Amino acid sequence: PRAAAAAIAGYFCFSFYFDVNLGKENTFFALLLIAALYIFYRRAEKNRLSQKEKTFLFGFSLIFSLLSLFAYSLRFSLSFSVIRNNLPLSAVSVIGETVLFYTLCAYLFRFLDCLGTPREQIPDAGLIYQKHTFSVSFCLILTVYLILALIYYPGRVSPDMILQLAQTLGVSEQSQHHPLVSTFLMGICFKTGLLLKDGHLGVFLYILLQSAVCAAVFAACQKQIKSWNLPVFFQAGSLIFFAALPLGIFIIWGVKDVLYSAFFTLFLLQTTSFVAGTGNEKNHFSKKLFSYIFTGLMVCLLRNNGIYVILPTLFFLFLRTQHKKTAGITFLTVFTVYAALTQYAFPAMGFPPGSKKEMFSIPFQQTAFYVKQHKKEITAEEYLTIDRVLSFHELGKSYFRYSSDAVKKTYKLNGSEKENSFLADYLLVWAKMFFKHPVTYFKAFLSQSSQYYTFIPTLLSLPSRVVVLTDWLNTSETNGVLPLKDISDWFYYSFLWFIPFLNLFYSCAFYTNFSILLWIYLLCRKKDKSAAPFVPVLISILVCIASPVNGLLRYAMPVIAAMPLLFAFTVFEKKNSFLLDKK
């Protein structure tokens, strides 16, 4: 009876979210769907979960389904009218989605348990890979990247890369709005290309640089996964993931997030190495420490929010693991060097810090929506406080639910002497306004971030195919290898996007929920002290949620790139007692 009720609720869930009454359109297909769901739930009852697992998974599934329902309603209007007009169906849909998600989680936990059991070694045909895992993986991954780079020659240039190149050429004003190290690397490659031939070659050289770095980092991850003796199909799947799907198409994109994601993954790899106690910890301590410091600094210097990922991770390592010396020295060194460079050295070189408005995407968006919805209720004091920070009269018309960029353009305090004081007053008013209309704040937040954690249909956010046209770079003059480029575009932008399950690789929500479920899996097995590698990933997810654009895959690239390693770490940790858990 439970399975039958869940199957019927699941059917109504499908009907509600896809706006199709399958019973009316095709009764036979509706009965098949209900029967399939019934069998699915009946088989799930064999997955014996502990009470702790049931509690965690049910709570997680319920929150997920409620957020999905609210986000679904906001797709059609800036209100919850869809829910109010369909209360019975909404309630049944929440039940159906909760049970469905809960059951999927139960199957996932059973699959993780199966992966944790001893498996056969790679057959003789894979001896070369077994002996030279890094070299073979590096060559295979880099070969795919080079083929894609040649097909899309000189590469797909992002708007951010244009701004960074303009800064190196002296065309635009210098600042740290974009990470200076990333800008420097792009500029070196571009100027080298200009010296040898033209701007196209310069862009291509940068694509080659990030391709080589990514291939090396991912090959190192592949070597670590192989050393953990995971099943052959898992190693093959992770190799395909790194080389072609979904990361292949991103590597030929000229954007700062690619190199950042590579060093983020390398930092996670080094963190798992410390946590897992692999190798002789007493040997080569200075070399490992220097490498860890260098990687942490590169993460901080390749994206402006990298410092908020690195420092909490190191602090957690210091508090909860035996690697206090490594974590403490790395924390102090990274913090000191980063602060000295960004606050003193770079400004002295003529690169002032970027605007503080980048930190306030969510508050600014909530204020703009509040002004749009409740303008008449705003007091004179609130008006003056807001108007000193944002152009009050432009907020209502600048509000766009999926992006805060238009709202941030109304920011008035760039370089102002009283910027900190005015921002503090604004945040106080912003907090007070929350208690007047908390639902309004919730709607603005959900509209701004929902695609990072709910599977609400979204626009494809793969690398843009827009042609770049400036006085010093014109990518319309070259289109790579046209027939192959058209085939590759069809494969990545059309074919995979419409294939069930495979299109999950294009969903930010998939990586968010999967990361959280892996963490819950370890918590339920009393491995809570092994959370160190999850800290940078979970913080990166929070950074995505606080970002200015909803559901942008390039913001989630660090989480995507690190996912095979995090997955493998979870399986390995389940079947091994790390030194981390020893007193």
Side-chain angles (χ1 to χ4, degrees), residues 112 143 182-183 231 268 345 365 495 505 542 574:
L112 291 171
T143 299
S182 174
T183 302
L268 186 68
Q365 193 79 333
F495 177 74
F505 290 118
L542 294 178
K574 185 260 176 183

Side-chain angles (χ1 to χ4, degrees), residues 124-133 136:
D124 294 340
L127 283 178
I128 297 178
Y129 169 82
Q130 211 166 9
K131 292 181 180 179
H132 308 283
T133 306
V136 173

Side-chain angles (χ1 to χ4, degrees), residues 218-271:
F218 297 152
C221 292
Q222 196 68 19
K223 182 179 179 180
Q224 182 67 78
I225 292 172
K226 180 258 175 185
S227 70
W228 286 339
N229 294 321
L230 268 75
V232 176
F233 73 87
F234 188 98
Q235 297 182 47
S238 63
L239 190 60
I240 295 172
F241 185 96
F242 286 134
L245 177 69
L247 291 175
I249 194 66
F250 283 100
I251 304 301
I252 52 88
W253 197 11
V255 66
K256 60 193 175 188
D257 304 88
V258 175
L259 269 184
Y260 170 80
S261 300
F263 279 95
F264 175 90
T265 306
L266 181 59
F267 179 80
L268 186 68
L269 175 63
Q270 293 171 330
T271 303

Side-chain angles (χ1 to χ4, degrees), residues 28 68 412 422:
F28 178 71
S68 298
K412 296 180 177 181
F422 287 168

Side-chain angles (χ1 to χ4, degrees), residues 264 267-268 271-272 275 308-317 320-321 515 519 528-543 559 566 569:
F264 175 90
F267 179 80
L268 186 68
T271 303
T272 59
V275 170
Y308 305 114
V309 174
I310 298 300
L311 294 186
T313 305
L314 295 173
F315 187 66
F316 183 92
L317 278 173
R320 300 300 301 270
T321 75
S515 302
W519 180 49
D528 53 295
K529 292 183 180 180
S530 301
F534 287 87
V535 174
V537 173
L538 296 177
I539 293 177
S540 295
I541 291 171
L542 294 178
V543 169
V559 181
L566 196 69
F569 170 83

Side-chain angles (χ1 to χ4, degrees), residues 243-493:
L245 177 69
L247 291 175
I249 194 66
F250 283 100
I251 304 301
I252 52 88
W253 197 11
V255 66
K256 60 193 175 188
D257 304 88
V258 175
L259 269 184
Y260 170 80
S261 300
F263 279 95
F264 175 90
T265 306
L266 181 59
F267 179 80
L268 186 68
L269 175 63
Q270 293 171 330
T271 303
T272 59
S273 179
F274 281 118
V275 170
T278 55
N280 192 336
E281 302 302 319
K282 295 182 180 179
N283 294 336
H284 310 294
F285 173 78
S286 298
K287 182 179 178 181
K288 291 182 178 180
L289 179 62
F290 176 79
S291 176
Y292 203 44
I293 291 173
F294 173 76
T295 305
L297 273 173
M298 289 300 292
V299 172
C300 296
L301 296 174
L302 284 172
R303 205 158 84 173
N304 291 332
N305 51 35
I307 190 70
Y308 305 114
V309 174
I310 298 300
L311 294 186
T313 305
L314 295 173
F315 187 66
F316 183 92
L317 278 173
F318 180 81
L319 290 180
R320 300 300 301 270
T321 75
Q322 63 180 0
H323 303 285
K324 297 185 183 299
K325 184 178 179 180
T326 301
I329 295 174
T330 306
F331 183 99
L332 293 175
T333 306
V334 169
F335 177 77
T336 303
V337 174
Y338 177 80
L341 289 175
T342 57
Q343 299 301 317
Y344 300 101
F346 292 163
M349 295 165 58
F351 296 90
S355 175
K356 293 181 179 179
K357 66 182 180 181
E358 303 301 329
M359 301 171 59
F360 299 101
S361 292
I362 295 295
F364 287 173
Q365 193 79 333
Q366 290 172 328
T367 298
F369 189 53
Y370 190 101
V371 171
K372 185 180 181 69
Q373 296 290 99
H374 313 288
K375 187 174 183 179
K376 295 181 180 180
E377 299 181 27
I378 296 176
T379 65
E381 180 184 359
E382 292 171 342
Y383 164 80
L384 292 173
T385 304
I386 294 172
D387 194 57
R388 285 186 302 190
V389 178
L390 304 168
S391 180
F392 185 89
H393 297 290
E394 297 180 34
L395 286 180
K397 61 183 179 181
S398 297
Y399 176 78
F400 176 61
R401 64 173 112 181
Y402 298 129
S403 173
S404 63
D405 286 338
V407 172
K408 288 192 298 183
K409 287 181 180 179
T410 68
Y411 187 71
K412 296 180 177 181
L413 300 179
N414 289 321
S416 172
E417 294 181 0
K418 296 184 177 181
E419 184 174 18
N420 291 335
S421 175
F422 287 168
L423 278 174
D425 293 338
Y426 160 76
L427 290 176
L428 184 61
V429 169
W430 166 77
K432 289 180 179 179
M433 291 167 66
F434 165 77
F435 293 100
K436 294 181 180 179
H437 293 284
V439 176
T440 299
Y441 272 36
F442 177 69
K443 290 177 182 177
F445 170 79
L446 200 61
S447 296
Q448 172 77 10
S449 62
S450 60
Q451 290 170 7
Y452 288 112
Y453 45 83
T454 64
F455 294 97
I456 299 300
T458 178
L459 295 176
L460 186 60
S461 57
L462 286 175
S464 173
R465 290 178 281 182
V466 176
V467 172
V468 173
L469 182 62
T470 67
D471 295 335
W472 38 271
L473 181 64
N474 180 4
T475 58
S476 64
E477 295 176 358
T478 176
N479 291 301
V481 186
L482 272 177
L484 293 178
K485 187 174 80 68
D486 292 339
I487 294 173
S488 180
D489 275 352
W490 170 81
F491 179 75
Y492 280 106
Y493 290 82

Side-chain angles (χ1 to χ4, degrees), residues 2 34-35 81 115 176 219 255 290 312-313 393 424 522 544 566 572:
R2 287 198 305 268
I34 294 174
S81 58
L115 283 179
Q176 296 180 53
V255 66
F290 176 79
T313 305
H393 297 290
L522 288 183
C544 289
L566 196 69
F572 179 65

